[in-house]
Amino acid sequence: MSSHIRHLVLEMSVGMFAYVFILGGLAVIFQDSLAGAGFLLGPVLVGLFLGFAADVAMLVHMAVVTERVAESRDEGYANRTTVVQSAIRRVVFIIVLVILGSRPRIDAVAMIIGALGLKAGALLQPAVHRTFFGGTEQTSGESTIEERRTVYGNDENSDGSSRA
């Protein structure tokens, strides 16, 4: 995995951890309500943590697959590979969920909710990047325009502007 992708995975993992940490805090605060609904605090926290661990594993797998298909530069291979690997990820997660969720010390619902942290990590990644690494790179618009000019040439329409 390239250093840029590793950095992106780290930033998303921080966002995913923040999501699970906040949910764990809410579970501790509302543990009496959880107990009234039939959920014990320990299994809920374990389920959230296992959902986070599953998220990290899925994120690393997605990064490796994406980098591999991008390097191939073959659209057919990329489509087939991403669809197959996505299905494999889902099947493996469901199998792990059934195996671990059948244990009394792990709450399967909390594991599913913890696994939704992948979306939260993706949404929080820009904020994590600005917070921890804000001064080290150009602004997003400048880097996009510069990349377009590098890839498509330095003509007047390469950055999306039109002079009509």
Side-chain angles (χ1 to χ4, degrees):
M1 217 176 354
S2 71
S3 64
H4 176 71
I5 298 295
R6 266 189 246 123
H7 191 73
L8 185 63
V9 167
L10 174 67
E11 289 174 353
M12 286 183 65
S13 296
V14 169
M16 294 181 321
F17 181 76
Y19 168 81
V20 170
F21 184 76
I22 289 169
L23 287 178
L26 290 173
V28 169
I29 291 170
F30 296 110
Q31 64 182 322
D32 293 335
S33 299
L34 283 173
F39 297 101
L40 298 175
L41 181 63
V44 167
L45 293 177
V46 171
L48 287 173
F49 175 75
L50 289 174
F52 168 72
D55 274 348
V56 171
M58 288 188 284
L59 180 61
V60 169
H61 183 257
M62 282 188 271
V64 169
V65 169
T66 302
E67 196 166 50
R68 187 175 70 208
V69 299
E71 288 173 355
S72 75
R73 298 186 186 268
D74 179 11
E75 183 179 349
Y77 171 76
N79 286 334
R80 282 188 311 273
T81 303
T82 54
V83 168
V84 168
Q85 294 298 323
S86 174
I88 290 171
R89 263 192 316 275
R90 289 178 184 158
V91 168
V92 168
F93 178 74
I94 290 170
I95 291 170
V96 169
L97 178 67
V98 168
I99 291 170
L100 293 178
S102 64
R103 309 270 189 256
R105 305 295 256 152
I106 301 169
D107 188 42
V109 174
M111 190 172 166
I112 293 170
I113 292 171
L116 294 175
L118 193 56
K119 296 191 184 311
L123 293 172
L124 291 173
Q125 185 273 330
V128 170
H129 180 76
R130 278 191 308 272
T131 302
F132 295 110
F133 308 102
T136 61
E137 293 183 13
Q138 301 174 350
T139 63
S140 175
E142 291 174 357
S143 63
T144 304
I145 291 170
E146 189 61 36
E147 178 182 352
R148 288 180 186 159
R149 287 186 177 147
T150 302
V151 173
Y152 300 111
N154 198 11
D155 64 354
E156 61 191 33
N157 294 324
S158 66
D159 61 358
S161 63
S162 65
R163 297 176 189 218

